[in-house]
Amino acid sequence: GAFTGGGDPPADPKCLVPVGEALAESCCTSTDAAVTPHSVLQGDDTCFSLGPGLVPFSGCVDYGVAGYGEDCTGEGAPFVAMNAEECGCSFVIEGSGCYKANDIPGQQWFVYLDAASCCPAEGGKKGKGACGKKGGKKGKGGMMGKK
């Protein structure tokens, strides 16, 4: 699963990195962040609309691998896309943890990818990334912002 958030620039300089770079988890979870889980916004769809011209991708792209995409064409959204490329996204992050997302003017945005939520509940094929030998539940993405 994932979440994103946005808001005023954070006080911690370690959160001021180029877009797409991995960050300390605290950049995504600080108490002054406005946090929105993607599951609240997207329903069952992984390519979904947040308004005119705002179509992101958020979902599991493999066992133990979460994906997030921005600047998506998302023609026909909302729908279930297998990955950010299928949603027409030009900015893509896959993995686990906190990453720098594209900013909205006056705000800095971050995305947290919970790759463990992309593990099978039980059985199934052995996972990559965060799954290891333990199983979890299949999850969805989310959005978070710093205010």
Side-chain angles (χ1 to χ4, degrees), residues 16-116:
L16 304 174
V17 300
V19 172
E21 283 195 20
L23 299 160
E25 191 169 309
S26 62
C27 295
C28 284
T29 59
S30 67
T31 56
D32 61 344
V35 178
T36 306
H38 284 179
S39 58
V40 170
L41 303 170
Q42 73 190 87
D44 291 329
D45 299 305
T46 54
C47 184
F48 55 103
S49 177
L50 296 175
L54 264 152
V55 177
F57 168 85
S58 181
C60 297
V61 296
D62 201 344
Y63 290 108
V65 182
Y68 174 73
E70 294 180 346
D71 299 327
C72 310
T73 58
E75 188 175 326
F79 62 91
V80 175
M82 298 305 295
N83 54 47
E85 289 81 8
E86 192 174 291
C87 188
C89 305
S90 61
F91 174 77
V92 178
I93 298 171
E94 292 182 352
S96 186
C98 182
Y99 294 86
K100 179 70 182 84
N102 285 297
D103 293 333
I104 291 174
Q107 298 182 339
Q108 291 200 332
W109 283 77
F110 304 88
V111 62
Y112 183 83
L113 301 178
D114 180 12

Side-chain angles (χ1 to χ4, degrees), residues 63 119-127 135:
Y63 290 108
C119 298
E122 44 186 271
K125 69 179 188 179
K126 287 193 176 185

